[in-house]
Amino acid sequence: MSILMKGADVAKTMKEDLTGEARRLKDRGILPSLTIVRVGARPDDLAYERGARKRMEMIGIECKVVELPETITQAEFEKTFFKINEDPKVHGILLFRPLPGHLDEGPVVSRINPLKDVDCMCPVNIAKVFSGDETGHAPCTPEAVMEMLDYYKIDPRGKKVTVIGRSMVVGKPLSMLLLKRHATVTICHTRTKDLSATCREAEILVAAAGKARMVTADMIGDGAVVVDVGINVDAKGNLCGDVDFNAAEPVTSYISPVPRGVGSVTSSVLAKHVLKAAEYLSLER
Ligand code: NAD
């Protein structure tokens, strides 16, 4: 029988540690604080924001949202962003991307304080992920996958892991985190020949393609661990992952659902990064 990897269980365990950490910082006179910068009001940003605010509050982290109009000019956007970047009371900054077409993210991505860059958009943090240096912040979603594997005591060391997707948000950084943990990683993408065969060889299969139910049961090796990062809306308007869950579940040893899988862990990782940032920034003063 396959074991369901429940995001809520992972988040609950993380909450206990993170709440203690937030309390210890407060005892030292530091109120950990996250600022979310949102331009416009995209529904998926709003949904993530709601979840993140709730999670920060639960853990004891202050969470402010700076909402900017979609018509904001580049100059105004940068001015607002850099003011937040320089505010000593702000420990973490989350900028929702992509920005509206007329805005260039380049200047803020290159000048954000890497310690405050809690979702890994700046070159310093990206380089740290790729060089296996854990002093930076990895992107939250790939780290949520690692938290999930750890919670279920699935050690990637020496295992054949296939990651579907090579984006800088999920696929590539996740592959580096897995490599750091001594997995043998294969990265698949739209040009991969015989995707099914490569997936079938995997002891751990991670799907992050953004294609509703594209991973079918015949693409999964017997007893494999399957982690589904995809968030899609199917033709009937239902939320679903990249894995055809009902067909796949019987052949897996562990499988994460969508919703209530990886997505439920991401905001806990964000909280973890804000606390790490608060700690590091306090050492700088
Ligand atoms: P993306 O579109 O930037 O990248 C998708 C990747 O998958 C690409 O590298 C592409 O080559 C590959 N791909 C697409 N179709 C493929 C196919 N048929 N065969 C093989 N490879 C294929 O997407 P992303 O930002 O990396 O996100 C991936 C998925 O993860 C999306 O569904 C997104 O909504 C979801 N996501 C979830 C969370 C979360 O918190 N759970 C966070 C971020 C992204």
Side-chain angles (χ1 to χ4, degrees), residues 3-18 55 58 144 147-153 254-257 259-269:
I3 293 172
L4 189 67
M5 303 168 92
K6 294 182 194 155
D9 289 354
V10 184
K12 189 167 169 239
T13 299
M14 288 179 75
K15 181 181 162 245
E16 283 155 26
D17 291 347
L18 298 175
R55 180 65 47 187
M58 242 183 239
E147 289 283 353
M148 201 153 211
L149 293 175
D150 287 343
Y151 177 87
Y152 286 96
K153 304 207 178 342
Y254 291 82
I255 185 166
S256 74
R260 291 184 278 281
V262 175
S264 312
V265 184
T266 313
S267 59
S268 301
V269 174

Side-chain angles (χ1 to χ4, degrees), residues 86-210:
E86 267 118 54
D87 184 344
K89 291 202 181 83
V90 176
H91 303 110
I93 305 173
L94 176 69
L95 170 66
F96 284 127
R97 296 184 295 165
L99 295 170
H102 69 283
L103 292 179
D104 175 12
E105 66 178 27
V108 303
V109 165
S110 58
R111 277 182 50 204
I112 186 173
N113 181 342
L115 294 177
K116 297 189 180 190
D117 175 27
V118 285
D119 198 21
C120 192
M121 60 179 186
C122 78
V124 172
N125 281 323
I126 293 169
K128 284 187 175 185
V129 172
F130 278 72
S131 61
D133 177 344
E134 290 174 353
T135 62
H137 302 294
C140 294
T141 302
E143 202 174 310
V145 173
M146 301 307 290
E147 289 283 353
M148 201 153 211
L149 293 175
D150 287 343
Y151 177 87
Y152 286 96
K153 304 207 178 342
I154 298 159
D155 186 357
R157 173 183 281 261
K159 295 218 170 70
K160 286 186 199 163
V161 182
T162 296
V163 176
I164 311 175
R166 59 172 164 182
S167 76
M168 283 302 287
V169 181
V170 191
K172 271 191 210 167
L174 173 61
S175 301
M176 293 305 118
L177 297 180
L178 287 159
L179 194 58
K180 166 90 181 163
R181 298 279 301 276
H182 312 294
T184 302
V185 186
T186 305
I187 308 172
C188 296
H189 45 81
T190 43
R191 315 284 163 86
T192 299
K193 283 184 188 154
D194 204 353
L195 178 69
S196 296
T198 310
C199 290
R200 251 191 324 271
E201 280 173 11
E203 293 165 87
I204 302 174
L205 175 63
V206 185

